[in-house]
Amino acid sequence: MELQHVQHYRPHLHFAPSKNWMNDPNGMVYFAGEYHLFFQHNPYDSIWGPMHWGHAVSKNLIEWEELEIALYPDELGTIFSGSCVVDWENTSGLFNNEPGLVAVFTHHKDGREGQSPKQSQSIAYSTDKGRTWIKYRNNPILTHETKIDFRDPKVFWNEQDARWVMVLATGQSVSFYSSPNLLDWQFKSEFGEGSGSHEGVWECPDLFKMDVEHAKEEKWVLLVSIGDNPRYEKGSRTQYFTGSFDGSRFVPDHTHIKWLDYGKDNYAGVSFSDIPKEDGRRIYIGWMSNWRYANHVPTGHWRSQMTIPRELSLHNINGEYRLRQQPVREFDDYVRKVTNIHKQRIEKNQAITYDINRPCFEAELTVSGTDPFTITLRHTDIQYTVMTFAEGVLQVDRSQSGNVSFSENFSHIQEVVTSCPDKLKLRMIVDSFSLELFINDGEQALTCLLYPDSVCASISISSDDAIVHDGYLSTP
Ligand code: FRU
């Protein structure tokens, strides 16, 4: 393991900026054979600062090529989060003969001398597949007199009423706007009061329609990230709602909280726009960090990475609609099986261990039994990450995983109550220094960062009495 790699903790199969700071994924859109990933970026430092839109493209969602910065701050402010769409029918009148890309983003202007900042929505367009961008001459296109938190527009074309819809984060709510042309926007409704978690400011919403698996039914899914609030332990995270949407109003099926991810390090994620109909997937990427410590993680001259792109699906589980997520199938092309795990019993003091010694691997493990069991990722002699399963509850303990000193909060146990008390099917992706768990075929996900001194040396499973079922280990 070369020293430089260890020092920089760089991932192999996840997008990370070549240098400096990154946060939210922005403007994710598929166009002309490319997936575009823009991102909140400070090109001057490896901590958050004046926001630009960085840019990367991929043909397969796994290998990314970082391009020039797409959007720079201007007299209206720095460039906060937002989305991109393809204006197929030139509803905006910004294009000539061919469809082009429109980015809808927040301009953020700091207030002078103790005054509140001003956030407004603006657009930019590209006629050369996202390589260069022209800011619209009449920016901003949407402002608000009183709202201070007024940001992160996610725009989509709603076929039902042939209108663009914008969902915007507006404090402790999201607001819906509608437009025929991406330029003129009309307020429709606001949603949030009395629903979901309000432990932090609402940010980075997304709204999309999904088929319910194995049913002739459609539902709308609303993702809402909630910002860090020092009064609460968990830091920033993402919730979702299911419900209906008529082009103006979102009516939720529920008011209780549904979390998108049970780990600490998946925030501000949204989905791609304009995935072709024949593909039909809803593909999601999150920012793999947490505002509680994002500026302090020990990665040196670059900071942050994205989650593996994930395909979302929606399921009706006894009347409750739940999202599942799995790595996109393109991921499978980058790994191949190196070890088959065969069914075997584990008993007291007889842990089974598989050597890894690779910077990056995937494992699928199914373990059953009524006794608790433990899955340990051993990084070095004294550094390890422990997953414990007891009575249906999976806990991830990274307190001994390596460098944890940058935040007291980083060591807190992460926990998920799974759907089955005596069996766990775990798909895990370890990419040098992160761990993504997809639990019971993606019913739940748990995403977390790790900063050990070395790559994973081995994985072992121990219990007083449990059965390890057939599984596998894969590496790139
Ligand atoms: C979420 C967020 C957004 C904002 C951006 C600024 O992480 O706070 O609400 O647009 O980051 O970088």
Side-chain angles (χ1 to χ4, degrees), residues 213-414:
E213 297 286 314
H214 316 297
K216 286 199 172 57
E217 196 186 4
E218 289 178 330
K219 279 274 157 196
W220 287 82
V221 176
L222 175 66
L223 307 182
V224 180
S225 285
I226 54 169
D228 182 27
N229 179 343
R231 280 196 289 142
Y232 299 99
E233 186 247 308
K234 294 261 164 50
S236 52
R237 48 199 174 143
T238 302
Q239 60 181 333
Y240 69 94
F241 300 89
T242 57
S244 61
F245 181 69
D246 63 2
S248 298
R249 196 168 292 279
F250 177 78
V251 180
D253 297 327
H254 58 99
T255 54
H256 60 267
I257 304 169
K258 297 182 185 182
W259 296 116
L260 188 69
D261 197 301
Y262 290 82
K264 278 186 180 271
D265 300 320
N266 182 1
Y267 189 63
V270 288
S271 67
F272 274 89
S273 181
D274 291 281
I275 297 291
K277 277 220 166 74
E278 15 354 318
D279 179 323
R281 288 180 293 175
R282 184 53 59 177
I283 302 172
Y284 163 95
I285 295 180
W287 172 47
M288 204 195 274
S289 200
N290 191 313
W291 277 119
R292 184 62 60 94
Y293 43 69
N295 278 290
H296 310 292
V297 298
T299 51
H301 74 288
W302 63 281
R303 261 206 189 90
S304 297
Q305 54 188 304
M306 297 299 181
T307 66
I308 216 77
R310 302 172 182 186
E311 180 177 353
L312 302 180
S313 59
L314 189 64
H315 301 255
N316 179 343
I317 314 290
N318 305 323
E320 171 101 24
Y321 295 94
R322 295 235 166 241
L323 280 179
R324 286 192 189 176
Q325 48 193 309
Q326 286 280 20
V328 288
R329 58 175 176 262
E330 288 83 347
F331 175 82
D332 298 342
D333 296 337
Y334 285 85
V335 287
R336 62 188 167 78
K337 277 186 198 171
V338 286
T339 308
N340 282 313
I341 296 173
H342 297 296
K343 189 170 178 183
Q344 55 197 299
R345 188 174 199 123
I346 19 175
E347 289 171 359
K348 210 174 181 147
N349 304 325
Q350 288 178 358
I352 47 173
T353 298
Y354 299 93
D355 289 336
I356 305 279
N357 294 316
R358 302 274 190 114
C360 162
F361 72 97
E362 182 207 0
E364 190 174 279
L365 292 170
T366 303
V367 187
S368 65
T370 48
D371 278 12
F373 59 85
T374 298
I375 301 168
T376 305
L377 298 180
R378 183 160 287 284
H379 312 293
T380 70
D381 286 349
I382 53 165
Q383 297 176 343
Y384 44 85
T385 302
V386 183
M387 292 160 259
T388 308
F389 185 80
E391 295 177 7
V393 179
L394 176 67
Q395 292 193 330
V396 178
D397 180 352
R398 59 179 173 180
S399 60
Q400 309 301 318
S401 63
N403 187 344
V404 297
S405 62
F406 53 89
S407 165
E408 173 269 325
N409 188 279
F410 191 79
S411 290
H412 293 184
I413 299 284
Q414 300 165 86

